[in-house]
Structure formats: C-alpha cells, structure tokens
Amino acid sequence: LEPVIGDLRKLLGDAAVLEPSAQYEQDATEGRGLRGRADAVVLPDTAQDVARALAWCYEHDVPVVPRGGGSGFAGGAVPVDGGVVLGTERLRAVRALDPLLWRATFEAGLPTAHVHRLARENGLYYPPDPGASEQSQLGGNVATNAGGPHAFLHGVTGHWITGLEVAVAPGELIHLGGQTRKDVAGYDLRSLLIGSEGTLGIVTAADVRLIPAPEAALPVVASYPDVAAGCAAVAAVYGSGLRAAALEYLDAVTMAAAGSDAGFTVIAEAQGDAETAARLRDALAEALGEGASALDTPEPEALWRWRGGVSIAVSAKRGGKVSEDIAVPVDRLREAIEATLEIGARHGLEACSWGHAGDGNLHSTFMVARDEADRARAAADDLHELAVRLGGTVTGEHGLGLLRSGELARQWPPRALDLHEAVKRAFDPKALLNPGKKAARC
Amino acid sequence: LEPVIGDLRKLLGDAAVLEPSAQYEQDATEGRGLRGRADAVVLPDTAQDVARALAWCYEHDVPVVPRGGGSGFAGGAVPVDGGVVLGTERLRAVRALDPLLWRATFEAGLPTAHVHRLARENGLYYPPDPGASEQSQLGGNVATNAGGPHAFLHGVTGHWITGLEVAVAPGELIHLGGQTRKDVAGYDLRSLLIGSEGTLGIVTAADVRLIPAPEAALPVVASYPDVAAGCAAVAAVYGSGLRAAALEYLDAVTMAAAGSDAGFTVIAEAQGDAETAARLRDALAEALGEGASALDTPEPEALWRWRGGVSIAVSAKRGGKVSEDIAVPVDRLREAIEATLEIGARHGLEACSWGHAGDGNLHSTFMVARDEADRARAAADDLHELAVRLGGTVTGEHGLGLLRSGELARQWPPRALDLHEAVKRAFDPKALLNPGKKAARC
C-alpha cells in the first residue's frame, strides 16, 4: 500500500500525507469497539488539494473517507476497509466575516466552538450547538446536519447555510449557492449535500448566515415526580404559545448519573432583549410550574456547561454506553421515553434518556460494560423499531453512518430507497465516497 | 387525442377529466403571451388518483404538467406541447391540524390564504407569504419554495415543511419525512423536491410546522430622497442588530405607479408580544430615521394589503410588465436597484423595482405595452447577467420555469449542471414530468 502514500505525497507534499494511525481510524464510536483500517491519511492545506486528493483516489479506485473532528456517534468517519482518510482539520481559514451583513464564509475544518466564538466576538450568533463543539468541525456539522438544544427555536445546521464549496467526484471543487440569501434557480443540491455524511462529496467551506446575538438567554429548570408529569410540562409549554429557544429534558436516571436526585427535569430557555427574555422566562416558569416539584433559574453558562457534561457522566456509570438519537412526533415523547426504559429492562441493561424534548429528539442510552455490547445492539434495534412505529426516525441528529447503515429501509418505502440509491450513483458512480455509510438498504 | 381523455376518464371518472381549455393552458405569464397546448386536464379528487394519473401517463409516454393555482410568474404551469395538465385544486383536505402541537397536514390544493387563515384561527402562524395568496396553493408554494416579505425573519416555504407526500414516477405515492421535526436518516429528498417545480414529482400533501402567532406585528415606513439613502437605511437596520420580521423596499418609480410621491420607501416590521414589538418598532424607526424624509407607522393590515396591490398598479401603467426576481448578496442591493433602471433605459423601457431588501431579492420590472415584449426579453437577459455578476441568482422566488429554463448554466459550473441533470434522470427517466421547465442547460 506504499504506492498510495508515495503517490499522494508527490501530489500534495510530504507534510499533507501521514501513515495510518489509530487516531484516524476511529471516532467517538471507539467505545463501542469500532475501529477501521486506512491505507493513508491525507490532511490537505487547501480546498483545491482536497479536490486533487479526491481526483487521485477516484482515478485509482481508492475509497475516500472524509473526516471532520471525529466526534460522530454513528461511525461515519471510520474507514471500513482501507483507502484514504481525508481529514479537513487544516482547512481553518475564515475566508470572509461581515458582521454588519450577518454572514461569514468559513472553511470546513473550523471547530464549531470557533464559529460560535467568532460570531459572539462580532455581536452575532450562530445557533446550531451540537455537543462536543470544541472537537467537532463545521464541515462535519454540515455533513450530519447537526442540531443541538437551540435547534428548537432556530433550526438545524442546514437552515444557516446559504452556500457550500464541495469537492465532488471525479475530483472537482464546485460551489453550490453563495452569500445570496434566497435562490430557487436549481434543484436544492446544497440541501442534498447537507446531511449526506460524506457519501456524495466533501465539504470544504460553507457560507453561513448569522443573526444578531440575543441580549439575554435565560433558562428555567423544573423537576417532576415522573415521566408523565414532565412530558405534561413539555406539552404545557407548547400549549402556552410561548416560544422557548430550547426545550430540553433529562430523565431521573440521567439526573442520578449526573449526581442529582432532582428526578425528571425539564429545561426551557428564553432568548431576546433583556426585558423580553426576563418576561418570557417568567412566563415559561409559570407554564412549567403547575406540576413541578422544584423550579430554578440558574446561570445560563453554568447550566449549559453542566448539560454538556451529562453524556460523560452517563458513560462513566458502567464504563460505556450505547447512545441513540431517535426522534418522534412530539406527542409521542412520553411513550418513547418510557419505552426506552422498558427496552433496557427487557435486555437486562440500565437505560436512560435525555434530549431535545421540544423536537421529540431523544438520546436514548443503554449503559454497558465492554462485554455487554451485543445486548446493547439488540436493545438499539428494538429502539429503532419503536421510533419507526411511532412515526419517527431512527436518527434525528447523528446520522446513519456505519452503525445504522441500511436502516433507512425501516422507514422509507422501496421507491424512495430506489431514489436514494440513484442519487448516490449520480454523485458517486464508483461508490468510493465513504463506502459502507448511509446506505439505503443493507 | 381523444384516447387520452377517454382512457383517463375510465381510470378516474368522467368528472375528474376535462377537455383542454385556455384556463388550464396558461398561468400568470399570460400577459407575456405564453400559452401552451394540452391534450387533457385532470383534476383528481384524491392523492391516490394523482399517482394513478401519473402512472397512466408514464406508461403511455404522455407528458404531465403539474398545476397549482396558476399564479406563477415563470410559466412553470404552462403545457409546452401537449400532454396532461394535472391540477391539484380539488385536493383541499385538512388531514390534520394540531394547534397544541404547532403542526398540520394539508393537501396540496389548499390555497395559501386558507393555510394562513386556518393557522390564525388556531392561534398559530404560517409565515411564508408569497403574493397572490388567495390564488396560489400550498403545493405550488412547495414546488417553487415560495418566499415573501416575512421570509426575511422566518425563512422560505421549505423551512416550514417537515414532510411531503409526493407522486413520483413511474406512478406511486411516497411520503418523505412526516410530523417529526428532525430527521437525518436519509438524503434530504424532501428539500430536493421543494423548489423542483414539478419536474421531479407531484406534491399531493405537506406536513407543515407552525409557530404561535406573534401578538403584534407593527410596521414602520420611511421615505428617502434617493436609492443610495434608502439602501443606506437598509444597511443601518442590519448594522443596528435589530431583527425585523420583514425589510422591504419600493423604489420611487414603483411608488409613483402606486400613486404616491413619497419616493424611495423602506418598510420594516416588528413582531413579538405587544411590548416587545412596540419597542422593536421604535428602535427600527430610529435606525431607519437618520436619512429619512418621512416616517410613518401605518396599520399593518392596510399596509400589507396596499403592498400586495403594487404589482397590479405597476402592470396598469403601460398595460403589461416583465417582472423578474433576481437576488443578490445584500451589500449589492444598491447596484442591482440602480442597474435595473439603467438596463431599462438602455432598452428604451421604463423600469422600476421593489422587493425584499433584507434578502437582497428584487422584483426588477420593465413596464411594457404588448408590442415591446422583445425589448423586455432583452432587458431581462441583461438583468440576469447582472445578477450573476453580482454573485447572485437569476431567480430568488419565482423559479426557472419555462421563461428561464436553461439559465442555470449562467450561474452553475458544468459539473454541478451534470449533477442537476443526473438528479432529473433519476427521478424522471422518461423526461415526462413538466417537460421544458427548470432545465439545467438550454
């Protein structure tokens, strides 16, 4: 396999091509035992070099596995069986940043947290806030159409992208859209690329829409005696006609793993100018309060930092976890939360869930020791069946990746699967882009 | 051609199949002389019958021209050369409406104004507000990804659609998405259908996301001595960090056609609870006021009704108009507005523009008598060249349709055009769905 490294070094320079190593052959699914095998790791310095690397691979029938920060939970960045891991981590340029026009153009390797910081430093706000934002990159967020708590008010990553620079087969950079905010000239290939998990092209840069930063973001936290009461509170927020910026929940088991005995907990956040946010926060507290056993209005930064650590606390409980991200219509939230616990019990696993209540998006989680992986997989399978039965999806945020590849057949009719496969063939006739990921059928 | 009508009547019943007539062979481009020719008009009562009609046509190699309310400005509903016009006007069922869950499922033929009214009657708000809302239908809005003034804050039609029921070739109903608010399982075929102008499938129903109705919507109107001062005001609103719900402009010629000597006019609207909206309205007035020669805070309903009549007033001036809808990055707004006037002058046509300033989306318009159509076409051609040179698009709202079919080649690179054509082939291998519309290349 030396020829791959040698040829690519001739093409892109020695420094851009590394020997394969564990770091680039796994992602955040490492804890579930996923580890791939690569022939080379390419870390281009420029978007043009991404296209050049793709062209070489396409000519030589070498698979290409695009990689952002490696924080994905679906194995989307794991090289299944050789080929080139193409990491975007060196593409970190801020090509444009126009605070007075509410827009920017960032290269794909810019970490999500940097995007947040750059926006904030310029009085603006980039709402998508998936977990692991220090590690994840904008390009990976685009590739998975990442969400996060504030997607409830503001929408997911795709809503904030007006243009994409993408390397497509057989090896060319194209720009889909740009800084114009509305464009209905062509088919929406931009949205097709967004969430395609590197199977249709490799995102090298994105034109991003931003908004003025809200003056205040004020959370309110309420605790409830059980799932039913907590879900009634979520429904009460909907029914109140108040627009929370985030509407999250954590079930009692999750709270316990995070060191709290508060029980089932709901978090709502109010955004706006200081007066509006305070008034909305109070109104949300009233809507949440009827069945609440405790109400609190914590410091927002401390709260979201704590919330970001919950996943790690749950992992720590038994050494590992299988964390899923089904989404269901919001009126099925309670069923999905209760069924998560039942499915865990059926498979002899401690289960819990937390997530984006307002979007009906659950991080249903089975806590496992290393030797319980098979049982966790069976539990995840039951969970996916449940999601589809409730009219939902096997994945609301993480993507199909490798772990759920082929599971689209659970929820799409055969003709839609045909179209999915036809789109893949149109973009990647040699099936070299992230093979084994996001397949419509097994 | 009798066999087409006869066979379709056997399949769908006599009442669902009409002889062709002028009403169904033209749309809002009739004033530009566009008129097609159909072999039959099919008005199915059910989504299943849409799929049945499509299946019959696909089997018999008969073109199918989907039709909503016929209010399109791009000739997208005009049957170029025979085949079946398939109108969705009888698909008007409200399949679901869940006010407390902020969602509904509407059939494609429901007029946009009915969607607005149903939302409002239930305390909710459906923000997309393209013109001609009494005539246009939800399905047509989806097919063109329609916008309108309030897209500035709330996004275009696609942002409000969580699921689509679509009849696809060779004649089958599929559901893409549903009532779940987040779903990253498959490629975003839903977004691909949205804005595809009936060339990939026929939308029969949509799952729609709604939001609580804002308590107040308060506009402020400001007039300026010239384009430069008006565009500086638009920039001032951006720079103020205030989020207007709409940010519109009408140039002095447009205002004159509408019977006003106010000159270049900017409209900003504040939405929110009563207190927030009032405070925001005052802040917007302050931001707009620096260069304004007059400020007014009219009744919102009267203002938007008046605004909706502007297009007709402009048409009346010389009997007809060629109204385009280019969009540019918002910092190029002034150039685009001034160039519209220059292009008109170069072709001996009176020109004007109005539109969605905040989105850089201009309704650049050339006023014409019937015998000036050639000159208007040449002027439109120059305008499209301008839009692309400014980094924009030939169409921000209306679509390519028939009038701009093939013009995508102005603004997309060849490889992207290839992908556009490959997507079309994947969905419509016989090229029977709305032939001649939205072609990537001429």
Side-chain angles (χ1 to χ4, degrees), chain B residues 201-221:
Chain B
I202 307 166
V203 173
T204 54
D207 302 300
V208 175
R209 210 162 53 77
L210 303 162
I211 48 174
E215 196 176 303
L218 306 176
V220 55
V221 176

Side-chain angles (χ1 to χ4, degrees), chain A residues 102-103 169 181-183 185 187 199 238 273 275-276 279 331 359 361 393 395 397 400 415 420 438, chain B residues 102-103 169 181-185 187 199 238 273 275-276 279 331 359 361 393 395 397 400 415 420:
Chain A
W102 307 358
R103 72 185 190 209
R181 293 165 57 98
K182 286 163 77 179
D183 182 1
Y187 296 144
T199 64
Y238 261 88
D273 63 59
E275 279 178 59
T276 304
R279 208 163 51 243
D331 50 318
D359 280 328
N361 188 190
T393 175
T395 174
E397 291 197 319
L400 291 178
R415 180 63 190 136
H420 196 279
K438 210 180 184 75
Chain B
W102 307 359
R103 73 186 188 208
R181 294 166 56 99
K182 288 164 77 180
D183 182 2
V184 293
Y187 296 146
T199 64
Y238 262 88
D273 63 61
E275 280 179 59
T276 304
R279 207 161 52 241
D331 49 319
D359 281 328
N361 189 189
T393 175
T395 175
E397 291 197 321
L400 291 177
R415 180 64 190 136
H420 195 279

Side-chain angles (χ1 to χ4, degrees), chain A residues 331-353:
Chain A
D331 50 318
R332 315 309 290 268
L333 182 65
R334 178 182 161 186
E335 280 169 84
I337 293 171
E338 290 175 341
T340 296
L341 301 174
E342 287 158 20
I343 289 169
R346 195 187 312 150
H347 293 278
L349 295 169
E350 192 170 13
C352 66
S353 72

Side-chain angles (χ1 to χ4, degrees), chain A residues 91-113:
Chain A
L91 300 176
R92 293 164 69 107
V94 176
R95 293 198 193 159
L97 178 56
D98 299 297
L100 296 179
L101 299 168
W102 307 358
R103 72 185 190 209
T105 303
F106 298 124
E107 287 192 342
L110 207 66
T112 314

